[in-house]
Amino acid sequence: MKMLKEKIQKEGIVLSDTVLKVDTFLNHQIDPQLMQEIGKEFAARFKDAGITKIVTIESSGIAPALMTGLILDVPVIFARKRKSLTLSDNLLTATVYSFTKQESNDISVSKDMLHEEDVVLLIDDFLANGQALKGLNDLVKQSGAQVAGAGIVIEKGFQTGGKEIRANGLRVESLAIVESLVNGGVVFAEES
Amino acid sequence: MKMLKEKIQKEGIVLSDTVLKVDTFLNHQIDPQLMQEIGKEFAARFKDAGITKIVTIESSGIAPALMTGLILDVPVIFARKRKSLTLSDNLLTATVYSFTKQESNDISVSKDMLHEEDVVLLIDDFLANGQALKGLNDLVKQSGAQVAGAGIVIEKGFQTGGKEIRANGLRVESLAIVESLVNGGVVFAEES
Ligand SMILES: Nc1nc2c(ncn2[C@@H]2O[C@H](COP(=O)(O)OP(=O)(O)O)[C@@H](OP(=O)(O)OP(=O)(O)O)[C@H]2O)c(=O)[nH]1
Ligand SMILES: Nc1nc2c(ncn2[C@@H]2O[C@H](COP(=O)(O)OP(=O)(O)O)[C@@H](OP(=O)(O)OP(=O)(O)O)[C@H]2O)c(=O)[nH]1
């Protein structure tokens, strides 16, 4: 997605060989127009998949998921990483391991929100080692719903998440695949 | 806002005299069409305020804030409650006390995102005791930016936050004001 890649090149900051900071338009400040274009792109790619719900994870997944849901006209559910005032029982839960923090945490969605007739599109901002996406996929499947695929804004192609998840048969559509962050520059994989 | 009040009456669950659950369209599952209407309403009320940025707080504030930002064509910043991979230094911080948890926590926004020439609209999903909104207001003012007002989706009029914040001179626009949750029913305050 050209507009996204241009934004990454213009405003992205390479923090290390493995971390790209995009806080000015995706992870802290959000560019609504860009999110709308991202939503249009995901919606176009999945328009024939019979999507009935979108599932994402708080917090950075919410904006791209919401715009996609607006165009596909389906509800958007965000999995929670912590209990909330109103989300405490009757839950679908999956465990997500963090390599950085070296700890596991649960993510949850209410059982009321997903049913076996649902066809779900997973959406998230980053795909790196894939633990969060695997957790969402697992959680949705516990409800009996079908996962049609995943929409990822930025995939780090040099990490193993994308490869492992596609090897398991999930369709993953990434709008930008970063092949390398070495030497302070962002190199994108060629569009296939 | 009629559409919102009808949705609350139809899908809201009164959990106690003081807590209203709206997880099917605002706090866990999100209704994108409703969020778009909420965005249009906030944008209409603040269209002449010279807004340059919207500031909200993760997670439930993001959806209404994003839709408002799309219509006003301004960036949307979400304050974080916890450190993230890319938000760790150069921060504006405010403390928010939780009566329920009886503990204080910090919320943060990067100093890079707010400047003294900014005119900010604060947005959040609920206004109850007002601690989160006061924190956001405090944090934005530390940057030198002006706070034009706050847009709240659901205000609990029987709690003190709204009254205190308006008494301090902040313009607060709430799309639904819940006057009472007693006896399991939702009673709205009259439209002024
Ligand atoms: N900016 C940026 N973020 C990255 C990058 N690689 C991974 N992330 C994000 O960092 C967070 C790291 O999650 P961890 O759970 O600690 O995962 P880990 O296994 O990679 O260590 C996740 O944020 P999250 O769950 O999405 O958090 P939130 O933003 O939704 O709060 C993930 O999306 C990167 O190169 N740049
Ligand atoms: N559904 C619902 N929520 C209420 C109600 N009253 C307050 N809240 C929300 O509950 C959370 C309670 O926050 P606390 O920080 O513990 O505040 P407290 O002083 O009211 O105890 C906040 O969620 P938050 O920070 O917005 O969390 P998040 O949803 O963004 O993750 C607030 O918006 C209510 O009647 N119904």
Side-chain angles (χ1 to χ4, degrees):
Chain A
M1 185 182 160
K2 186 159 171 285
M3 182 188 200
L4 173 64
K5 289 179 185 175
E6 286 174 354
K7 194 86 168 176
I8 290 168
Q9 292 291 15
K10 181 161 179 273
E11 295 184 26
I13 296 171
V14 178
L15 291 185
S16 72
D17 285 0
T18 55
V19 181
L20 171 67
K21 179 174 177 171
V22 285
D23 276 13
T24 60
F25 62 88
L26 181 64
N27 290 119
H28 183 37
Q29 177 166 272
I30 306 168
D31 176 344
Q33 299 284 348
L34 175 66
M35 292 303 120
Q36 188 174 49
E37 294 307 308
I38 284 170
K40 286 180 190 171
E41 185 61 32
F42 284 142
R45 294 189 195 198
F46 286 96
K47 66 175 167 30
D48 300 324
I51 304 298
T52 64
K53 297 229 170 177
I54 288 170
V55 175
T56 186
I57 182 167
E58 57 178 347
S59 304
S60 298
I62 294 171
L66 182 66
M67 289 304 185
T68 310
L70 184 66
I71 298 165
L72 290 178
D73 196 17
V74 298
V76 173
I77 301 161
F78 63 93
R80 284 193 175 267
K81 296 170 181 170
R82 267 158 286 271
K83 275 197 171 54
S84 80
L85 185 63
T86 52
L87 191 74
S88 52
D89 67 332
N90 197 32
L91 302 175
L92 302 160
T93 301
T95 304
V96 176
Y97 181 72
S98 160
F99 287 91
T100 312
K101 298 180 200 110
Q102 296 213 333
E103 64 183 29
S104 283
N105 276 304
D106 284 349
I107 63 170
S108 305
V109 168
S110 168
K111 286 185 184 172
D112 299 338
M113 304 307 176
L114 286 170
H115 310 102
E116 29 178 55
E117 59 272 17
D118 280 313
V119 177
V120 174
L121 170 59
L122 303 177
I123 287 191
D124 209 0
D125 57 322
F126 270 91
L127 173 54
N129 53 56
Q131 295 305 106
L133 192 57
K134 286 171 192 165
L136 282 179
N137 188 36
D138 173 4
L139 189 155
V140 171
K141 280 159 66 172
Q142 288 174 39
S143 71
Q146 182 191 328
V147 181
I152 296 296
V153 182
I154 302 172
E155 179 177 343
K156 292 192 289 180
F158 56 87
Q159 284 182 268
T160 57
K163 190 170 174 184
E164 290 166 4
I165 290 173
R166 287 181 180 100
N168 277 332
L170 189 68
R171 174 186 172 192
V172 181
E173 295 283 346
S174 301
L175 304 186
I177 299 178
V178 172
E179 205 169 72
S180 169
L181 293 172
V182 158
N183 298 327
V186 182
V187 177
F188 294 112
E190 291 304 314
E191 304 264 334
S192 52
Chain B
M1 182 182 160
K2 187 160 171 287
M3 182 188 204
L4 173 64
K5 290 178 186 176
E6 287 175 355
K7 194 86 168 179
I8 291 169
Q9 293 291 14
K10 182 163 179 273
E11 295 184 26
I13 296 172
V14 179
L15 291 184
S16 72
D17 286 358
T18 55
V19 181
L20 171 68
K21 179 173 176 170
V22 285
D23 276 13
T24 59
F25 62 89
L26 181 64
N27 289 120
H28 182 37
Q29 177 166 272
I30 305 169
D31 176 344
Q33 299 285 349
L34 175 65
M35 292 303 121
Q36 187 173 50
E37 294 307 308
I38 283 171
K40 286 181 188 169
E41 186 59 33
F42 283 142
R45 294 189 195 198
F46 286 97
K47 66 173 167 29
D48 300 323
I51 304 298
T52 63
K53 296 229 168 174
I54 287 170
V55 174
T56 187
I57 181 167
E58 57 179 346
S59 303
S60 299
I62 293 171
L66 181 66
M67 289 304 185
T68 310
L70 184 65
I71 297 165
L72 290 178
D73 196 17
V74 298
V76 173
I77 302 160
F78 63 93
R80 283 193 176 268
K81 296 172 183 171
R82 267 157 285 271
K83 276 199 171 52
S84 81
L85 184 65
T86 52
L87 191 75
S88 51
D89 66 333
N90 196 30
L91 303 176
L92 303 159
T93 301
T95 304
V96 176
Y97 181 71
S98 161
F99 288 91
T100 313
K101 297 179 200 113
Q102 297 213 332
E103 63 182 31
S104 283
N105 277 304
D106 284 348
I107 62 171
S108 306
V109 168
S110 168
K111 286 184 184 172
D112 299 339
M113 305 305 175
L114 287 170
H115 309 103
E116 31 178 54
E117 59 273 15
D118 280 314
V119 177
V120 174
L121 170 58
L122 303 176
I123 288 190
D124 209 1
D125 58 322
F126 269 92
L127 173 55
N129 54 56
Q131 294 305 105
L133 192 57
K134 286 172 193 164
L136 283 179
N137 189 36
D138 172 5
L139 188 157
V140 172
K141 281 160 62 175
Q142 288 173 38
S143 70
Q146 182 192 329
V147 181
I152 296 296
V153 182
I154 301 173
E155 179 178 343
K156 291 193 288 180
F158 56 86
Q159 283 182 267
T160 58
K163 190 169 173 186
E164 290 165 4
I165 290 174
R166 286 181 182 98
N168 278 333
L170 189 68
R171 174 185 171 193
V172 181
E173 296 282 346
S174 300
L175 305 186
I177 299 179
V178 173
E179 203 168 72
S180 168
L181 294 172
V182 158
N183 298 325
V186 182
V187 178
F188 293 111
E190 290 304 314
E191 303 264 336
S192 51

